[in-house]
Amino acid sequence: NDGVAQGIYFNQSASDMMRIMASPWVFGGSDSSNYPDERYDPETFGGRHLRGTTTMVRRLELQRDFHLCSMEEAIHRITGPAQALRLEGQGLLKEGADASITVLDYENLHARASYQYPYRENEGIHYVLVNGTVAVRNGRCTGSRAGKLLRKGR
């Protein structure tokens, strides 16, 4: 793996995780790293940590399935950090904001990736636009890299 090492730790109980996720004061986040990897075959065995592609889908799935909050609140807990950190143009769907939009089927959302098959696409994600560029089309990653570095809010 060209010297790239990652750790996967299983040290949090499911009940603690659900209690934390149910709190309206907890935003969603991920500490995924962006390792250069151009493999998009969903049946590739191993090779990366799945949190880079499934963290938010799995979060929404759990919040929906365990009735932790409404769909609107679940989405806000993912996009809300942009407002909390005062990242202008991020996290809101409004004129003048960056065009980062996800079109999803909330009721059929499912994270399919696993530690064995981390490249499997999520179900229920139809389109993702990142800064106006299509990153996911018909549920498949396009390979687009339209993200940008966000320095800090005011």
Side-chain angles (χ1 to χ4, degrees):
N1 67 358
D2 298 321
V4 175
Q6 297 184 49
I8 300 172
Y9 305 97
F10 299 92
N11 59 2
Q12 187 173 28
S13 73
S15 62
D16 282 350
M17 183 181 70
M18 299 302 268
R19 183 179 45 78
I20 292 165
M21 283 179 48
S23 170
W25 305 107
V26 175
F27 288 132
S30 173
D31 64 346
S32 178
S33 300
N34 184 21
Y35 295 105
D37 192 343
E38 300 300 326
R39 294 181 292 176
Y40 295 108
D41 178 1
E43 296 309 309
T44 298
F45 186 84
R48 74 180 314 170
H49 196 293
L50 58 121
R51 70 178 159 235
T53 56
T54 64
T55 296
M56 296 307 158
V57 172
R58 184 68 178 135
R59 180 181 177 82
L60 290 171
E61 198 177 10
L62 289 169
Q63 288 173 313
R64 176 197 66 211
D65 294 351
F66 290 92
H67 309 287
L68 301 179
C69 61
S70 69
M71 176 190 68
E72 294 81 5
E73 183 63 23
I75 299 294
H76 176 70
R77 291 179 190 182
I78 293 171
T79 61
Q83 288 88 58
L85 297 171
R86 292 183 226 124
L87 297 173
E88 194 170 320
Q90 302 296 315
L92 293 174
L93 187 57
K94 68 176 190 174
E95 187 174 338
D98 290 345
S100 295
I101 301 165
T102 300
V103 178
L104 58 91
D105 178 352
Y106 186 71
E107 293 304 318
N108 292 302
L109 203 57
H110 180 64
R112 291 187 57 238
S114 66
Y115 293 104
Q116 293 80 20
Y117 296 97
Y119 294 92
R120 287 185 175 162
E121 287 94 359
N122 299 301
E123 291 177 2
I125 301 288
H126 300 293
Y127 292 92
V128 176
L129 282 81
V130 177
N131 296 316
T133 301
V134 178
V136 173
R137 177 180 288 115
N138 297 319
R140 299 284 314 220
C141 181
T142 65
S144 166
R145 294 176 182 253
K148 65 181 182 180
L149 177 64
L150 302 174
R151 295 264 176 214
K152 67 178 182 176
R154 294 189 219 171

